[in-house]
Amino acid sequence: MNKSINITTDTLFDLSAYLKEKRAILDDYLKKVIQELNPENELAKAIEHSLMAGGKRLRPILAMAAAQATGKDFRLALPAACSIEMIHTYSLIHDDLPAMDNDDLRRGIPTCHKAFSEATAILAGDALLTHAFTILTHNPRAMFDPCPNDEILFKLVAMISRAAGAHGMVEGQMMDMQATGFLDQHNQSKVNIDNCLAHLKKLHELKTGKMIVVSVESGALSAGADPDQIERLAKYAGKVGLAFQVADDILNVEGDPYVMGKAAGSDAMNNKMTFPALLGLEPSRTFARNLIQEALEPLNTFNEKDILPLKAIAGYIVDRKR
Amino acid sequence: MNKSINITTDTLFDLSAYLKEKRAILDDYLKKVIQELNPENELAKAIEHSLMAGGKRLRPILAMAAAQATGKDFRLALPAACSIEMIHTYSLIHDDLPAMDNDDLRRGIPTCHKAFSEATAILAGDALLTHAFTILTHNPRAMFDPCPNDEILFKLVAMISRAAGAHGMVEGQMMDMQATGFLDQHNQSKVNIDNCLAHLKKLHELKTGKMIVVSVESGALSAGADPDQIERLAKYAGKVGLAFQVADDILNVEGDPYVMGKAAGSDAMNNKMTFPALLGLEPSRTFARNLIQEALEPLNTFNEKDILPLKAIAGYIVDRKR
């Protein structure tokens, strides 16, 4: 599989080193967060299990890269970055529960309810979600230096909570639950493909898109970006977020389960509505690549050097193996 | 059962009318919150089912009464009051899940996962918790008038999220899960009662106490109370919160299931550690009454008329039938 759109080859930007460095910085902060949660107790152990399971850290890195795109210190994005990664992790813990997707493996290790218990996994998710707002507001300067001012932190709570809740991620997950078995319940030949595609785009816009967009917006806001910059970055993130999901669906069809950390083909087995199921595999690849090209257009007003990470990440989204 | 401590009989304060009036005001705001959540969809229906199930609204009324205790407009407490009631409701939805307390009835009607599905109940809880922080920060002045300033709202997010999370309510629920069957696992005669009592107090301080204390603190802060006033009110709430739990345990032993909306004796059946189990029934009653007397002492610096609701609520806590 060599479907790169080669966005990074015309530069000397080393994305792999960039991701590694930013991941390490984020992980240090997340370890500090866990350290403050009384790491001896079972709840903190369950939180650590899932939060430190080696995720891609895509959302927090997007937040840092968006801060950098405005020419400012990327570390200003760290409070938002940590908050968003904690919310992302809680959503994975709850999505994996038996009553939801019922997954035993996540990122190659047992899911939280498998490693601990269902009750502990529910509570670990609840605690992560709650604490995502605590770290933005309860003495944030003791942990983050530099740190955005309180006025910005207040706006971060508003935008992040809205993206995560009933107008965003949670509603998307609800749609996803209702969509599972959609093609099973309906006679597939009678289903209007355009309607399905619109439904699927809406689902992903809510389930993953809103949190990816808010990652970029909150990173930029943390660095003091102006409204035009934030709007352009949000457009970038909207396209990148959808491309990410299309790529995810493609990986589910053809990915290596050892690399992905979960079984390939599980979407098809669950009769889940996906882009490859609706469009076919090759048209899905083309769709993802076009989205990435569209994502880069709004960035043309930024300093070329400052947006190298965002451009490279966009390429990585459709080129990744997991 | 006539165990009133008669705190209200020496005044002309009509607690019943007060509770009814404040409940109606709160319910109107909660209906507005649901209205904004696209009430046609399944997630909003599940939220409405649990949020409007006729709870006592103790926490939000405490917030309003605390604002009033400082001589200010109680309506300043409404953003915090709504936020806290939403968090309380989410915690009930998740606590009722099969993996947790596995309850079929709550407030006399089917629990959220019984009326909808387990997945929907998990997501409804997640959405309520998330939205509790949205209403404090996302354009709050469009809903609340009067409304505290952004600086106060920011502090409310910090204090409410901290009380609700891994340093508060969620950790308390975790301890409660681990404590169920405690007396079963240990030979009861060998268990040190003092240790058990300390454990039980700690559990309740976290599981219900922190949210009751933050209700009063956030109501007072919303009204612009000074630190000494907030500290005194927090002491009141700490004692009242524990008394509330002792009263709950007593009701579980002897309450009428039709009034309570759940089966009496369910704690004993689950071999749960309770105050009546550790102290006996009559000493538990004395303990609750003493706590209420201690709760009122820190209020002696306030204007007598302004604290009538808080005094009456303290009496109601140990005198209620459900």
Side-chain angles (χ1 to χ4, degrees):
Chain A
M1 194 171 66
N2 185 16
K3 307 279 168 191
S4 165
I5 57 167
N6 291 329
I7 283 179
T8 60
T9 49
D10 59 345
T11 76
L12 289 173
F13 185 74
D14 185 345
L15 178 63
S16 169
Y18 182 86
L19 295 177
K20 194 174 165 187
E21 182 210 333
K22 294 295 179 286
R23 248 182 231 132
I25 292 168
L26 184 87
D27 285 0
D28 280 348
Y29 276 93
L30 294 178
K31 278 178 206 155
K32 276 197 235 176
V33 169
I34 294 165
Q35 209 58 38
E36 293 211 335
L37 287 180
N38 182 11
E40 289 310 298
N41 85 15
E42 192 77 353
L43 188 63
K45 280 181 193 158
I47 288 171
E48 184 175 18
H49 173 85
S50 293
L51 197 56
M52 306 312 289
K56 289 183 287 295
R57 310 303 195 195
L58 174 67
R59 291 155 190 80
I61 291 172
L62 278 171
M64 291 185 249
Q68 203 171 338
T70 69
K72 301 286 170 53
D73 187 344
F74 73 87
R75 292 176 304 161
L76 283 163
L78 276 162
C82 288
S83 175
I84 288 168
E85 187 65 9
M86 290 163 73
I87 291 175
H88 176 58
T89 303
Y90 117 75
S91 76
L92 299 182
I93 294 173
H94 282 189
D95 286 5
D96 287 336
L97 286 167
M100 308 269 271
D101 292 349
N102 194 20
D103 278 318
D104 294 350
L105 279 180
R106 164 74 68 181
R107 295 167 178 170
I109 62 168
T111 47
C112 194
H113 66 273
K114 280 285 167 186
F116 295 84
S117 70
E118 233 181 291
T120 304
I122 294 167
L123 293 171
D126 292 344
L128 270 166
L129 170 56
T130 313
H131 207 63
F133 300 110
T134 306
I135 62 161
L136 291 175
T137 53
H138 181 79
N139 207 6
R141 262 158 286 276
M143 183 170 288
F144 301 104
D145 177 28
C147 185
N149 64 36
D150 287 357
E151 197 187 330
I152 287 177
L153 291 168
F154 182 69
K155 287 182 185 162
L156 292 178
V157 174
M159 65 205 274
I160 295 172
S161 69
R162 207 167 150 84
H167 296 285
M169 185 180 70
V170 174
E171 171 60 8
Q173 178 62 13
M174 186 75 198
M175 278 179 78
D176 199 16
M177 285 285 120
Q178 293 171 323
T180 305
F182 183 93
L183 297 177
D184 209 24
Q185 290 159 30
H186 298 75
N187 182 329
Q188 200 166 345
S189 63
K190 285 187 191 158
V191 172
N192 181 321
I193 292 288
D194 285 345
N195 287 352
C196 283
L197 206 57
H199 180 87
L200 193 59
K201 280 182 188 172
K202 179 78 188 162
L203 188 163
H204 289 312
E205 186 197 325
L206 291 169
K207 190 183 171 185
T208 55
K210 293 256 183 189
M211 285 304 287
I212 287 177
V213 170
V214 89
S215 300
V216 168
E217 286 176 329
S218 66
L221 181 70
S222 297
D226 64 46
D228 175 66
Q229 288 178 313
I230 294 176
E231 197 187 322
R232 286 173 174 276
L233 288 164
K235 279 184 188 158
Y236 158 90
K239 301 286 183 182
V240 161
L242 186 53
F244 179 81
Q245 200 53 54
V246 178
D248 230 36
D249 285 355
I250 295 169
L251 277 169
N252 193 283
V253 175
E254 59 181 21
D256 179 336
Y258 290 99
V259 178
M260 288 177 66
K262 63 177 178 180
S266 59
D267 286 349
M269 238 160 59
N270 295 329
N271 216 353
K272 217 159 183 161
M273 211 198 301
T274 68
F275 288 100
L278 289 175
L279 297 176
L281 199 54
E282 201 47 46
S284 295
R285 281 200 195 97
T286 307
F287 181 43
R289 267 177 257 141
N290 290 344
L291 282 167
I292 292 302
Q293 292 298 351
E294 289 164 30
L296 301 182
E297 281 163 26
L299 301 188
N300 56 17
T301 58
F302 288 78
N303 184 325
E304 183 64 26
K305 190 176 135 283
D306 294 335
I307 56 161
L308 285 179
L310 287 179
K311 285 181 75 171
I313 291 166
Y316 161 78
I317 291 288
V318 290
D319 196 32
R320 67 206 162 90
K321 301 284 180 289
R322 66 176 188 126
Chain B
M1 194 171 64
N2 185 14
K3 307 281 169 190
S4 167
I5 57 168
N6 292 330
I7 284 180
T8 59
T9 49
D10 59 346
T11 75
L12 289 174
F13 185 75
D14 185 346
L15 178 63
S16 170
Y18 183 86
L19 295 177
K20 195 175 166 188
E21 181 210 334
K22 294 295 178 288
R23 248 183 233 131
I25 292 168
L26 184 86
D27 284 1
D28 281 347
Y29 276 93
L30 293 178
K31 277 177 206 154
K32 276 197 234 176
V33 169
I34 293 164
Q35 209 57 37
E36 293 213 335
L37 287 180
N38 182 11
E40 288 311 298
N41 86 15
E42 192 77 354
L43 189 63
K45 281 181 192 156
I47 288 171
E48 183 174 17
H49 173 85
S50 293
L51 197 56
M52 305 312 289
K56 288 183 289 293
R57 311 300 195 199
L58 174 67
R59 291 156 190 78
I61 292 172
L62 278 171
M64 291 185 250
Q68 203 171 338
T70 70
K72 300 286 171 50
D73 187 344
F74 73 87
R75 292 175 304 160
L76 283 163
L78 277 163
C82 289
S83 175
I84 288 167
E85 186 66 8
M86 290 163 74
I87 291 175
H88 176 58
T89 303
Y90 117 74
S91 76
L92 299 182
I93 294 174
H94 282 190
D95 286 4
D96 287 336
L97 287 167
M100 308 270 271
D101 292 350
N102 194 19
D103 279 317
D104 294 351
L105 279 180
R106 162 76 67 183
R107 296 168 177 171
I109 62 168
T111 47
C112 193
H113 66 274
K114 279 285 166 187
F116 295 84
S117 71
E118 231 181 293
T120 303
I122 293 167
L123 293 171
D126 293 345
L128 270 165
L129 170 57
T130 312
H131 208 63
F133 299 110
T134 305
I135 61 160
L136 291 175
T137 54
H138 180 79
N139 207 6
R141 262 157 287 276
M143 184 169 287
F144 301 104
D145 177 26
C147 184
N149 64 36
D150 286 357
E151 198 187 329
I152 286 177
L153 291 168
F154 183 69
K155 287 183 186 163
L156 292 178
V157 174
M159 64 205 272
I160 293 173
S161 69
R162 210 169 147 82
H167 296 284
M169 186 181 68
V170 174
E171 172 60 8
Q173 178 63 13
M174 186 76 197
M175 277 179 78
D176 200 15
M177 285 284 119
Q178 293 170 326
T180 307
F182 182 93
L183 296 178
D184 210 23
Q185 288 159 32
H186 297 77
N187 181 331
Q188 201 167 343
S189 64
K190 283 188 189 160
V191 173
N192 181 322
I193 293 288
D194 285 344
N195 287 351
C196 283
L197 207 56
H199 180 87
L200 193 59
K201 281 183 188 172
K202 180 77 189 163
L203 188 162
H204 289 312
E205 186 197 326
L206 291 168
K207 190 182 172 187
T208 53
K210 293 257 182 187
M211 285 304 288
I212 287 177
V213 170
V214 89
S215 299
V216 169
E217 286 176 328
S218 66
L221 181 70
S222 297
D226 64 46
D228 175 66
Q229 288 178 312
I230 294 176
E231 199 187 320
R232 287 175 174 274
L233 288 165
K235 279 184 188 157
Y236 158 90
K239 301 286 183 183
V240 161
L242 186 53
F244 179 81
Q245 200 52 56
V246 178
D248 230 34
D249 285 356
I250 294 169
L251 277 169
N252 194 282
V253 176
E254 59 182 23
D256 179 336
Y258 291 96
V259 178
M260 289 177 66
K262 63 178 179 182
S266 60
D267 286 349
M269 239 159 61
N270 294 328
N271 216 352
K272 219 159 181 161
M273 210 198 298
T274 67
F275 287 100
L278 289 175
L279 297 175
L281 199 56
E282 201 47 47
S284 295
R285 281 201 194 98
T286 307
F287 181 44
R289 267 176 258 141
N290 290 343
L291 282 168
I292 292 303
Q293 291 299 352
E294 289 165 28
L296 300 183
E297 280 164 26
L299 301 188
N300 56 17
T301 57
F302 288 78
N303 184 325
E304 183 64 25
K305 189 175 137 284
D306 294 335
I307 56 163
L308 285 179
L310 287 179
K311 285 180 76 172
I313 292 167
Y316 161 76
I317 291 288
V318 291
D319 196 31
R320 68 206 162 89
K321 302 283 181 287
R322 63 172 191 131

